[in-house]
Amino acid sequence: MRSSWSLILYALLVLLTAQGNNARKIISLGNGKDNNEDLIDLYEGNEHDHDHSTSSHMHHMDPALNVFFTPKDLKLGKTMPIYFSKNDPSTSPRILPREEAASIPFSISKLPYLLEFFSFTQDSPQAKAIEYTLTQCELEPIKGEAKFYAASIESMLDLVGALFGSSTKFKVLTTTQLKKSTTLLQNYTVLEAPKEILAPKMIGCHTMPYPYAVFYCHSQESENRLYQVLLGGENGERVEAAAVCHFDTSQWDPSHMAFSVLGVQPGSCPVCHFFPADNLVWVPLQA
């Protein structure tokens, strides 16, 4: 298993480097100057589906919320506006080795130390981003949810393996831009019948706003369905997107951004969303 994980680690590093995502360039520790704007953007444009306290202006103003849909939209020929972020790898946080990540405290109780360590002032947007991520990390999971935070690929592999079971082999799925465009939000059409990825369990890992790459990973016991969807953009972009539909949202926070975007209530209907290119979806390999 260890040798196969080494191959997965290598493949992930190649994949994430090639996609230009949110998990690459760390600021010079103790300096905090190189990726400040990117960290602000991550905080202000955060679109992760575990957010328990979405600010109201995001519901109406943020184009990045065009990632939610319902199962009836998942059909050949359907056209809908979708936002796929384009992050600059030269300013994005990089993935730390396990040893380096483990040497840096990761707790809201250590916030004053961390702000000094990264040279951020207490009232700066970067400080708010760090506080947000640490606070989210320490929230209790909702009913039926297992979650963890990973600050290195090695720790992510260990925790994914522990959640699936030590004898289970697994693979990772992502959203891949086959033909790139600089347009963030555009109309996309489903070009082929969506392919359902049959899996007894899945673990979604989302990037978080932080000076180095941190992933929020979670799995839910309720019914979820994972899909690969080939999309064609009106500007010529082609995307092979990973998407998930959550069929039981009754335990979700009523203020979750998806409910406002779709105009539905918790538990009233399934909620689906596309994964950004820098998110990872882990599934067991089929026997």
Side-chain angles (χ1 to χ4, degrees):
M1 177 65 75
R2 182 60 59 184
S3 61
S4 64
W5 284 17
S6 297
L7 292 175
I8 293 175
L9 173 58
Y10 174 76
L12 275 175
L13 292 175
V14 171
L15 174 68
L16 293 178
T17 300
Q19 289 187 353
N21 58 41
N22 291 335
R24 274 174 308 288
K25 184 179 179 185
I26 190 172
I27 58 175
S28 298
L29 294 182
N31 180 321
K33 301 298 191 292
D34 293 341
N35 68 342
N36 288 359
E37 291 184 2
D38 194 62
L39 184 58
I40 295 172
D41 291 342
L42 277 169
Y43 173 70
E44 294 181 342
N46 184 46
E47 59 193 55
H48 305 298
D49 66 357
H50 61 284
D51 189 349
H52 296 279
S53 56
T54 307
S55 56
S56 59
H57 77 279
M58 290 181 64
H59 293 274
H60 307 286
M61 302 298 294
D62 192 350
L65 296 180
N66 285 276
V67 294
F68 297 105
F69 59 96
T70 61
K72 63 181 177 61
D73 299 316
L74 206 58
K75 60 184 179 180
L76 178 64
K78 174 69 176 181
T79 298
M80 52 186 153
I82 308 172
Y83 181 98
F84 287 113
S85 59
K86 308 289 190 300
N87 299 299
D88 184 354
S90 68
T91 60
S92 298
R94 81 169 174 94
I95 300 171
L96 295 186
R98 185 203 300 267
E99 295 76 14
E100 189 173 356
S103 70
I104 305 171
F106 191 79
S107 170
I108 192 65
S109 66
K110 299 294 184 181
L111 181 60
Y113 168 83
L114 289 168
L115 296 184
E116 182 177 357
F117 182 75
F118 291 118
S119 299
F120 293 139
T121 59
Q122 187 174 358
D123 58 350
S124 66
Q126 295 87 355
K128 290 181 172 61
I130 293 173
E131 182 178 13
Y132 167 83
T133 292
L134 294 174
T135 300
Q136 290 291 314
C137 177
E138 297 182 9
L139 287 176
E140 290 295 319
I142 64 175
K143 183 180 179 181
E145 179 189 44
K147 75 171 190 175
F148 62 84
Y149 280 73
S152 71
I153 293 296
E154 297 97 327
S155 63
M156 186 191 302
L157 290 174
D158 285 345
L159 292 165
V160 167
L163 204 54
F164 282 145
S166 59
S167 62
T168 302
K169 295 182 179 180
F170 45 85
K171 65 178 181 179
V172 66
L173 301 175
T174 65
T175 289
T176 305
Q177 295 172 346
L178 303 176
K179 185 177 180 182
K180 296 187 177 181
S181 166
T182 57
T183 305
L184 300 178
L185 175 64
Q186 61 180 295
N187 286 323
Y188 285 88
T189 299
V190 179
L191 299 180
E192 296 178 359
K195 177 184 177 183
E196 183 175 359
I197 307 300
L198 299 176
K201 180 181 289 187
M202 67 187 73
I203 302 172
C205 292
H206 313 276
T207 52
M208 296 294 291
Y210 212 70
Y212 54 86
V214 171
F215 290 86
Y216 159 73
C217 302
H218 67 138
S219 177
Q220 295 177 330
E221 292 179 356
S222 57
E223 182 183 0
N224 304 283
R225 296 181 187 175
L226 180 64
Y227 299 90
Q228 284 183 318
V229 188
L230 182 62
L231 300 166
E234 61 185 346
N235 293 335
E237 183 170 11
R238 289 171 66 89
V239 178
E240 187 174 68
V244 65
C245 290
H246 303 283
F247 281 79
D248 182 6
T249 61
S250 60
Q251 299 298 317
W252 290 21
D253 192 305
S255 65
H256 193 295
M257 63 185 75
F259 299 133
S260 178
V261 171
L262 298 175
V264 298
Q265 299 296 320
S268 63
C269 75
V271 169
C272 309
H273 66 85
F274 291 105
F275 286 91
D278 57 3
N279 284 204
L280 306 172
V281 188
W282 298 95
V283 294
L285 286 173
Q286 298 300 307

